[in-house]
Amino acid sequence: MTSPFPDLFGVLESTGARITRNADLTPLSRWKIGGRALALVEPSSAKEAASVMAVMSDRPEPLFIVGDASNVLFDSAGFEGVVLRISRAMSQMTISGTSAWAQAGIWMPLFTRRIGCEGLSGIEHTIGIPGTLGGLILMNGGSQRKGVGLNVKSVLCADEAGNLFTLDQEACGFAYRTSTLQTRRAVVLEADLEFEAGNPSEIRSEMISIMASRRAKFPKNLPNCGSTFLSDPAMYATVGAPGKAIEEAGLKGARCNGAQISPLHANFLVNTGGATSDDILYLIALIRQTVQERTGYFMDCEVRHVAPDGRIRPAHEPAEERWGAVDLTKVAGL
Ligand SMILES: Cc1cc2nc3c(=O)[nH]c(=O)nc-3n(C[C@H](O)[C@H](O)[C@H](O)COP(=O)(O)OP(=O)(O)OC[C@H]3O[C@@H](n4cnc5c(N)ncnc54)[C@H](O)[C@@H]3O)c2cc1C
């Protein structure tokens, strides 16, 4: 993929960040799905990341910020823009008393283990969740109906123009699997978190038990993006979790080419080999429509789809746009 506008790589190189031209997004994505982007940019400091935001604010190409792409569906047709990746090149952390500071690209399993080893309690529920701290904060991710936001004191971000600003916990507006960061065009760079002093061996036992339960429930060998649909409290009270609703609709194991509704956990869509973004979107449309017909509830996606033109939407929106009335003849395995 090449840019129709001049000087894109010149301005990106002026930021000091690592640049890959015509980057293949497939290996970055947990689903192993994606075409090529004009450029992949990987800063190693808050300053470099803020510079990327600043130079891109004057550019016509879209910018997409990503961590480990464990909650993202790249389009197989690619992305006609720049992917700013906050990941391992920004993964320093320090612990002082019951507080921790970390760069947003740190790998969550490592962060959670280090916090636990220090005898700090509060984020045991995040053990086993892949992705970066920045991605988890933006999604207010977690498990056991908790979110990482409970332990976030403040977050350092850069806005579209590259200006640094700090948000405290209240300003982050954490709620179930959401935060106000999702509606700001800003990049999360660093965070300060606060924990409670606990007993290291009790914390370790709790983490081992959570990991064992995750291993038994979730598919691990095939590429996937975790839970595809969000749990809606009203639906949960009457019908149950999305996985149960999908299973009761008889959709477990259904396939569209290389994409499959996991036979192990129906809220996970797996890439059994060669799946495209359309195959995944098709299964999303099939599930949403079938479950709505049976239960009356429309389930929304947690996973975000990145369109080639830069539109970022929860994946059920492009799924419905493309596959409004689902044709069951495309589905195998029912
Ligand atoms: C096997 C599996 C199990 C999972 N289990 C869970 C679970 O139990 N609970 C849970 O909550 N989630 C779960 N997830 C989803 C996912 O791991 C989390 O949402 C994760 O925190 C996302 O982090 P990421 O770095 O991969 O973000 P990405 O997928 O890269 O990005 C997610 C969103 O955050 C934005 N973003 C990422 N980094 C930044 C940044 N630095 N600044 C600004 N925006 C940013 C992206 O633009 C995107 O909108 C699971 C995923 C998988 C694959």
Side-chain angles (χ1 to χ4, degrees):
M1 203 167 263
T2 51
S3 174
F5 305 98
D7 290 337
L8 173 67
F9 299 110
V11 290
L12 288 176
E13 271 153 19
S14 71
T15 66
R18 182 165 171 242
I19 319 288
T20 310
R21 297 178 185 216
N22 194 26
D24 185 3
L25 300 175
T26 314
L28 300 186
S29 123
R30 292 284 303 196
W31 249 321
K32 301 296 170 232
I33 293 174
R36 290 190 176 268
L38 291 178
L40 172 69
V41 182
E42 296 170 283
S44 59
S45 67
K47 189 167 168 259
E48 283 181 5
S51 302
V52 175
M53 295 295 279
V55 299
M56 285 307 295
S57 66
D58 292 330
R59 298 288 313 179
E61 301 88 353
L63 176 73
F64 179 64
I65 301 160
V66 74
D68 284 347
S70 56
N71 225 345
V72 164
L73 176 62
F74 290 122
D75 201 286
S76 300
F79 177 59
E80 293 148 14
V82 173
V83 174
L84 169 57
R85 186 168 191 232
I86 306 295
S87 189
R88 296 310 164 267
M90 285 183 65
S91 59
Q92 291 175 31
M93 71 177 283
T94 56
I95 298 174
S96 166
T98 53
S99 303
W101 165 89
Q103 288 181 308
I106 195 165
W107 190 49
M108 267 318 287
L110 175 71
F111 181 73
T112 303
R113 268 203 308 272
R114 279 201 53 196
I115 294 295
C117 286
E118 292 290 324
L120 297 178
S121 176
I123 54 161
E124 295 87 328
H125 65 95
T126 66
I127 193 73
I129 301 180
T132 62
L133 176 63
L136 198 75
I137 289 176
L138 189 110
M139 306 299 290
N140 191 21
S143 72
Q144 303 175 331
R145 311 213 62 82
K146 295 178 197 151
V148 68
L150 286 170
N151 293 92
V152 171
K153 261 197 318 195
S154 65
V155 178
L156 176 73
C157 304
D159 68 14
E160 260 184 307
N163 301 309
L164 296 176
F165 64 96
T166 303
L167 294 179
D168 64 12
Q169 187 187 49
E170 198 186 340
C172 288
F174 293 113
Y176 181 68
R177 300 295 170 261
T178 186
S179 71
T180 56
L181 293 161
Q182 291 184 10
T183 52
R184 286 171 186 261
R185 292 188 54 83
V187 56
V188 177
L189 301 168
E190 299 173 4
D192 286 298
L193 298 98
E194 184 65 33
F195 303 99
E196 279 179 15
N199 176 319
S201 68
E202 280 172 20
I203 293 169
R204 191 165 173 270
S205 305
E206 168 76 357
M207 287 186 187
I208 289 171
S209 129
I210 293 172
M211 283 301 290
S213 132
R214 290 179 72 90
R215 275 197 203 104
K217 274 194 299 197
F218 301 150
K220 48 185 176 297
N221 296 328
L222 293 171
N224 68 77
C225 260
S227 296
T228 313
F229 291 94
L230 284 162
S231 183
D232 160 3
M235 177 177 158
Y236 190 87
T238 50
V239 181
K244 181 166 175 275
I246 302 166
E247 187 170 350
E248 286 176 357
L251 295 175
K252 227 179 184 183
R255 285 170 174 273
C256 179
N257 303 315
Q260 184 184 31
I261 301 174
S262 168
L264 191 62
H265 192 304
N267 199 15
F268 281 53
L269 303 186
V270 292
N271 180 357
T272 62
T276 63
S277 52
D278 268 0
D279 298 334
I280 296 282
L281 291 175
Y282 180 83
L283 288 181
I284 288 173
L286 170 74
I287 291 170
R288 193 166 139 92
Q289 198 170 305
T290 313
V291 169
Q292 194 278 329
E293 278 161 13
R294 282 178 51 90
T295 68
Y297 288 101
F298 277 113
M299 295 194 299
D300 290 347
C301 281
E302 180 171 329
V303 168
R304 286 178 159 59
H305 172 254
V306 183
D309 63 5
R311 270 180 308 161
I312 318 293
R313 291 180 291 171
H316 63 270
E317 292 182 16
E320 290 223 313
E321 211 169 86
R322 286 184 208 187
W323 310 105
V326 171
D327 165 13
L328 284 174
T329 56
K330 278 180 67 76
V331 187
L334 283 181

